[in-house]
Amino acid sequence: MKTQLPGRAARPVVATARAALVPVLACAVALGGLCAWTASGAAGRPAAIEVEDPRVLLPFGTDDTAAFFRLRNDGDVDDELVGVDAPTAGRAMLSRTVVENGAGSMRMVPSAPVPAGGTLEMSPHGLDVMVSSPPRLRLGDRLPLTLRFRESGPVKVEAVVVRPGSRP
């Protein structure tokens, strides 16, 4: 029968505790630094999208129509409009009016940037949302849309139906 000297069994525990202490202290210092950085405001604010002036043009009968918005990003991080859903319509897509040789045409675009601290203004002469197969709409009705952003996630809005060339 072997006899152990006092303190021998405790040595592996102490060695393990010392080995674990360095990574734990490193994590604590890093976490403390990140907390201080964030609390000081140096980390910046995430993208924060505000949708202003949502409107959709009154379609002629069952024709496709277009929706427009002013998108304001009050955050410190760029964002990107990556899609639009129109639950009561056939579908919605980002499009841009392009004029070549005096003729206008529409081109689908995959996304549209919304810069940090900036605004993206949609218009009939530039970027818009093409709404296919809209429901029957009358002036003043509201068309529900969901704008999907890369950073901010989905934002639900209701676009007011207006006559072409007017504002709500």
Side-chain angles (χ1 to χ4, degrees):
M1 177 171 174
K2 290 186 177 180
T3 57
Q4 285 189 332
L5 298 173
R8 281 250 190 228
R11 284 189 185 153
V13 173
V14 171
T16 302
R18 282 187 186 151
L21 187 59
V22 172
V24 169
L25 285 175
C27 288
V29 169
L31 184 60
L34 287 171
C35 289
W37 182 54
T38 302
S40 73
R45 296 170 298 157
I49 300 294
E50 292 290 327
V51 179
E52 301 171 343
D53 197 19
R55 61 201 188 285
V56 62
L57 299 180
L58 180 66
F60 296 106
T62 59
D63 288 349
D64 295 345
T65 188
F68 309 95
F69 314 92
R70 183 178 316 109
L71 305 174
R72 193 177 76 231
N73 183 353
D74 291 330
D76 295 330
V77 177
D78 293 342
D79 208 340
E80 187 175 11
L81 178 61
V82 294
V84 181
D85 298 317
T88 61
R91 71 181 199 180
M93 300 173 281
L94 289 170
S95 68
R96 182 173 303 280
T97 301
V98 178
V99 178
E100 292 176 347
N101 300 324
S105 65
M106 294 181 70
R107 294 205 178 124
M108 298 307 123
V109 294
S111 64
V114 186
T119 301
L120 172 63
E121 181 84 31
M122 295 184 173
S123 76
H125 309 291
L127 183 70
D128 64 32
V129 174
M130 186 177 82
V131 180
S132 298
S133 304
R136 184 173 298 276
L137 297 171
R138 295 187 308 245
L139 288 177
D141 285 351
R142 295 184 177 273
L143 180 69
L145 298 164
T146 302
L147 308 177
R148 291 182 283 113
F149 295 91
R150 185 170 310 286
E151 298 297 326
S152 301
V155 176
K156 293 185 178 194
V157 298
E158 288 187 340
V160 176
V161 178
V162 298
R163 281 191 174 92
S166 68
R167 294 277 214 209

